[in-house]
């Protein structure tokens, strides 16, 4: 707490540097009253208080308007002058950062960004609607937002339901799947079932269970209809098989090289010859492709 004593002896005398040739005012702090902001006139009584200048009638307490003198020193708070009693009052008083007026003890003030506000005086930076403890608000980079705008502007949207993800976000740790999901929303993009063991497959930047991934990837075995992961036999038609499932339609023996196609059925050489003798048909001879998936 700092006190400023007044110099009453200077109250009727202008400092020498206020005028140039007694007609031209210099552009400095002595030209204006620190209280009312008006420029001084040569007829004014001016008070010099620690190199700050006031009209004599302005050199009063901000609250009680008591004139300061050597018996009543002034005290400064936030650029305003107070008597000792009122200075102690305003130092303890909470002031609204929105309107700069006191907040009474029976008012439910709002504290945000280290300042206090009257109800209704703090507003969302984006929509300008009043916010309070009841509606809720969020602080972000020194600004206040209502919950709705904060979610829309700064929180990721769940790729399943489209709503903001506030907590328990699910994402791929390897970066192969972009976006976030609510924990309850994260499941197969086709059947929507969750992944019990946290294992899933990615196809076209979406998560899938094992079966629906292989269905989209054309890697279900055409014989047993189970996913193929590893060695794979593939026909020229684009059909895929487990190597042990790639067999003749008649004898079910594995085909390891050449196969014959007739009426969308696969035959070994022995049984296609037999069918040709019985029905006089023409079958296409084709070579199997082997690889891995």
């Amino acid at each position: 707490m700092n006190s400023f004593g007044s110099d009453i002896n200077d109250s009727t005398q202008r400092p020498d540097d206020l005028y140039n040739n007694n007609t031209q005012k210099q552009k400095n702090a002595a030209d204006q009253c620190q209280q009312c902001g008006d420029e001084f006139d040569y007829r004014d009584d001016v008070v010099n208080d620690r190199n700050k200048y006031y009209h004599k009638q302005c050199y009063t307490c901000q609250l009680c308007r008591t004139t300061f003198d050597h018996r009543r020193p002034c005290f400064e708070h936030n650029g305003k002058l107070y008597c000792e009693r009122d200075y102690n009052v305003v130092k303890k008083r909470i002031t609204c950062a929105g309107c700069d007026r006191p907040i009474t003890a029976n008012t439910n003030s709002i504290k945000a960004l280290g300042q206090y506000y009257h109800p209704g005086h703090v507003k969302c930076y984006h929509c300008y609607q009043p916010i309070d403890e009841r509606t809720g608000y969020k602080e972000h980079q020194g600004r206040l937002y209502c919950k709705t705008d904060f979610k829309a502007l700064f929180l990721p949207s769940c790729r399943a339901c489209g709503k903001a993800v506030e907590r328990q976000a699910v994402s791929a740790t390897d970066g192969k799947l972009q976006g976030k999901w609510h924990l309850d929303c994260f499941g197969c993009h086709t059947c929507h079932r969750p992944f019990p063991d946290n294992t899933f497959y990615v196809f076209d930047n979406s998560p899938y269970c094992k079966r629906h991934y292989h269905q989209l990837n054309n890697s279900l075995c055409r014989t047993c209809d189970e996913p193929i992961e590893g060695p794979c036999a593939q026909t020229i038609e684009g059909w895929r098989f487990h190597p042990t499932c790639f067999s003749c339609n008649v004898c079910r023996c594995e085909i390891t090289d050449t196969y014959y196609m007739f009426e969308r059925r696969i035959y070994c050489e022995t049984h296609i010859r037999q069918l040709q003798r019985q029905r006089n048909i023409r079958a296409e001879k084709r070579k199997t492709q082997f690889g891995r998936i």
Side-chain angles (χ1 to χ4, degrees), residues 29 33 63 182 215 270:
C33 175
L63 292 183
H182 293 112
Q215 189 178 64
T270 300

Side-chain angles (χ1 to χ4, degrees), residues 276-292:
Q276 287 176 331
R277 290 193 297 268
Q278 293 174 350
R279 299 177 54 181
N280 192 24
I281 62 170
R282 180 182 179 85
E284 298 181 17
K285 182 179 179 181
R286 297 176 179 175
K287 189 172 182 64
T288 308
Q289 299 176 359
F290 290 91
R292 296 184 65 86

Side-chain angles (χ1 to χ4, degrees), residues 81-137:
L81 301 181
Y82 299 92
C83 65
E84 184 174 7
R85 183 195 65 182
D86 290 337
Y87 174 81
N88 291 327
V89 171
V90 296
K91 282 288 286 184
K92 298 178 181 178
R93 183 177 62 182
I94 298 176
T95 304
C96 175
C99 66
D100 200 31
R101 294 186 176 182
I103 300 176
T104 59
N106 59 351
T107 301
N108 292 324
S109 62
I110 303 170
K111 185 178 182 181
L113 301 176
Q115 296 178 308
Y116 292 89
Y117 297 84
H118 284 113
H121 286 192
V122 57
K123 298 181 179 181
C124 172
Y125 181 82
H126 185 72
C127 68
Y128 304 110
Q129 293 299 311
I131 53 181
D132 54 31
E133 300 292 348
R134 180 181 57 83
T135 59
Y137 60 88

